[in-house]
Amino acid sequence: MNQNKTNPFAELYSLIYKSSLEALEEMRPERTIEQSEQEYESSPAVQSFHRRQNRLYKNLIAINRLASQKESVRTAAAALIFKHLPKNGDAVLALFQQGCDLSSAGRFKRSMNITDRNFPDDLWAFCDLNNHSTSGFSQFCQSLPPLSIQENKLANEVADSRVLSKLDAVGHAPDPSSLGLPPGLSASEKAIVALDFEARNIRLVKLMDRLKVQAKNNTFCADLVPTNRAGQQYKEAFAVAGKMLWQSFARNSDSPVFGRVALLGLIARSLEAFAAAMSTTQGFIALETHTPELVSAFAKPSTASAAMNVILAGAGGIEKAQQKLDALEVHLASTAWGGNHSVAMVYVLEVLQAGALAQLSDREPDNKPTRELTESIAGGVYADMREPLLDLD
C-alpha cells in the first residue's frame, strides 16, 4: 500500500511542498535598479518576506519530520493539527507562512490559541528548528545544490572585485565637492558617495585591463565555459567574443561600445555569467530550451562572431549600464538559488540580445516587440533555473 495513503503528514508534505515554495517566491519583492543591495535588503517589504520564508521552511521541515515519527505520535499529532487547520488550501499555506508554528506541539497550540489539554506540549518537539545556528532551516540551506566549479570561480571573482575595490578606494576617494552632489547630504553621506564612486572606477579599470589581456591571449571565459567534450569549441567561441568586444571598445569609433567603460563591463560580465550558467546541467537545459539561438551561437567560433555583431549593434539601446552592471554583479556574487545564477540571467539575456536573436532565427515573429520577447525568454529561463530549490526533499 502507498505509504502516503496511511501517513497524513507524508501526504500533506507531497501536496504542498512545491506549490508552497512557488507561491511564496511569487511574493518576493522586486528590486528596482535604483535601489542598492543594502536598501533592498533592509526595506520593510523584504524583511517581511524573509520572515514568511523562514517560517514556511521551518513548518515544511517539521511536517516532513512528523511523517517519520512512530505511528502513535503521528496519529495523535494529526488529530491535533488537522482539527484546527482551515479546510481551504490557500488559508493553510498562508498560516504556514505566518502565525502557525509546527516545531513542537506546545508551540503549535500557542500559535493557534489552542487550550486543548488532551495533547501534551511535548507530544513532538523539534527544538533545533528554533536554534538559528544548528536549525533545520540552516541544514536546509546547506543542502541546496552546490555551485559548479565555474559558477563558484565567477562568484568569488566578482565578490573579491567588489570588496577589494572598496578597500583600494580608501584614502583615494575624490573630494565630494567635485562630484556635484545634491544639497542636503551630511558629511558622512557625501564621504560614502565619494568612496563608492572611486570603488566603481577602480572596478571598471581593472575589468577593462583584464579584458584587454584576455582578448590578446584568447583566454576570455576560458575557465568559465563547460568542460565537456565540446569545451574547446566553447573556449574558442568565447575567445572570439572577447576579442570582438575589446576591438569595438578600443578601436571602432562607430561602435556603440566605443569608449564606454560601463557598457564594456556590462557586456563582459554578461558573457561570463552566460558561460558559467551553461556549466550546469540545469542551466544549460534552461538556456537551450528558451534561447536556443544564443546557446548554439556560442558553441563554435564562426557563429559566435555573427551573434556578437547582433549583441554589439544592440548595445546602443541599453540604458543605465552602470546600474545594471552593479545589479548583475551583486546577483552573481550572491549566487541566487544556491547554484544557478537565475536572477542574473534577467540582466544577461537583455544584454546578449536574446529576443533579437530569436527573431532573426524566425523562431519568433518580427512584429512582437523585442523587449517583450526578451522578458518572456528571461522569465522562462528564471523559472527553469530555480527548479533545483523547488525539487529539494
Side-chain angles (χ1 to χ4, degrees):
M1 181 180 293
N2 188 327
Q3 184 186 12
N4 283 8
K5 296 297 183 181
T6 58
N7 187 329
F9 294 107
E11 184 175 6
L12 176 63
Y13 187 80
S14 66
L15 284 172
I16 71 169
Y17 181 79
K18 185 172 181 178
S19 60
S20 65
L21 290 177
E22 288 177 330
L24 181 65
E25 181 57 27
E26 292 299 323
M27 299 168 60
R28 182 184 293 273
E30 291 188 4
R31 177 185 170 192
T32 64
I33 293 177
E34 290 76 16
Q35 276 183 309
S36 69
E37 182 70 9
Q38 184 178 5
E39 289 172 337
Y40 174 75
E41 290 296 338
S42 62
S43 67
V46 172
Q47 292 293 310
S48 175
F49 174 81
H50 285 323
R51 287 192 293 272
R52 295 169 75 104
Q53 185 182 50
N54 289 354
R55 177 60 63 88
L56 176 61
Y57 284 148
K58 184 166 75 169
N59 283 328
L60 288 173
I61 293 166
I63 293 169
N64 195 34
R65 291 186 185 180
L66 281 168
S68 302
Q69 300 298 302
K70 61 183 181 180
E71 187 174 357
S72 59
V73 173
R74 288 203 313 267
T75 301
L80 170 63
I81 293 171
F82 291 111
K83 176 182 178 181
H84 295 283
L85 286 180
K87 305 301 181 185
N88 179 274
D90 290 338
V92 171
L93 292 181
L95 266 180
F96 286 168
Q97 294 174 20
Q98 52 184 359
C100 175
D101 187 343
L102 291 170
S103 61
S104 72
R107 283 178 172 267
F108 175 71
K109 289 195 293 182
R110 287 190 292 275
S111 68
M112 299 290 288
N113 294 317
I114 299 168
T115 57
D116 195 333
R117 298 181 181 274
N118 294 321
F119 301 93
D121 287 356
D122 61 354
L123 175 60
W124 78 88
F126 310 127
C127 300
D128 65 303
L129 293 181
N130 297 299
N131 182 328
H132 295 299
S133 61
T134 60
S135 69
F137 176 56
S138 175
Q139 296 168 19
F140 176 87
C141 290
Q142 292 169 10
S143 71
L144 292 173
L147 298 178
S148 70
I149 294 174
Q150 294 91 327
E151 284 178 315
N152 194 56
K153 183 175 181 62
L154 179 59
N156 288 335
E157 192 276 318
V158 173
D160 288 347
S161 168
R162 296 187 68 82
V163 172
L164 294 176
S165 66
K166 280 289 185 72
L167 296 176
D168 291 341
V170 175
H172 301 283
D175 184 341
S177 63
S178 68
L179 299 179
L181 301 177
L185 295 180
S186 66
S188 60
E189 289 172 331
K190 290 179 180 178
I192 291 173
V193 172
L195 186 68
D196 288 343
F197 178 85
E198 181 65 16
R200 183 195 70 191
N201 287 342
I202 290 172
R203 287 196 300 273
L204 289 174
V205 169
K206 288 186 175 180
L207 194 155
M208 179 182 67
D209 290 344
R210 179 167 57 85
L211 179 61
K212 179 180 180 180
V213 172
Q214 291 174 335
K216 180 179 179 180
N217 298 338
N218 294 318
T219 56
F220 180 63
C221 290
D223 53 357
L224 299 177
V225 297
T227 54
N228 54 24
R229 286 181 295 179
Q232 185 59 38
Q233 287 286 295
Y234 285 121
K235 286 184 180 181
E236 293 174 6
F238 278 92
V240 167
K243 191 176 291 291
M244 290 183 65
L245 177 57
W246 176 255
Q247 290 174 344
S248 295
F249 168 77
R251 300 174 185 173
N252 184 1
S253 59
D254 294 328
S255 170
V257 187
F258 182 70
R260 298 177 62 184
V261 187
L263 189 55
L264 173 79
L266 178 60
I267 298 173
R269 283 296 191 211
S270 295
L271 287 165
E272 290 175 337
F274 178 64
M278 289 199 297
S279 70
T280 68
T281 301
Q282 192 76 22
F284 187 89
I285 292 174
L287 290 165
E288 190 175 46
T289 299
H290 297 283
T291 178
E293 301 82 12
L294 198 55
V295 172
S296 61
F298 285 90
K300 52 186 178 180
S302 58
T303 48
S305 176
M308 281 302 296
N309 284 329
V310 176
I311 291 167
L312 294 169
I318 297 175
E319 300 175 348
K320 299 182 178 180
Q322 182 61 58
Q323 291 95 322
K324 289 179 179 177
L325 173 58
D326 286 336
L328 173 58
E329 287 195 329
V330 167
H331 287 305
L332 290 176
S334 60
T335 57
W337 297 101
N340 289 305
H341 297 85
S342 52
V343 181
M345 286 299 109
V346 174
Y347 297 96
V348 168
L349 295 174
E350 176 196 356
V351 174
L352 300 188
Q353 306 296 323
L357 289 171
Q359 289 174 327
L360 288 171
S361 71
D362 294 330
R363 185 171 63 88
E364 295 287 348
D366 290 336
N367 58 357
K368 190 173 185 179
T370 304
R371 181 182 295 274
E372 181 182 324
L373 177 55
T374 301
E375 290 174 352
S376 175
I377 292 171
V381 170
Y382 172 75
D384 285 358
M385 288 180 74
R386 72 184 189 176
E387 279 300 311
L389 176 64
L390 302 180
D391 288 342
L392 280 175
D393 193 342

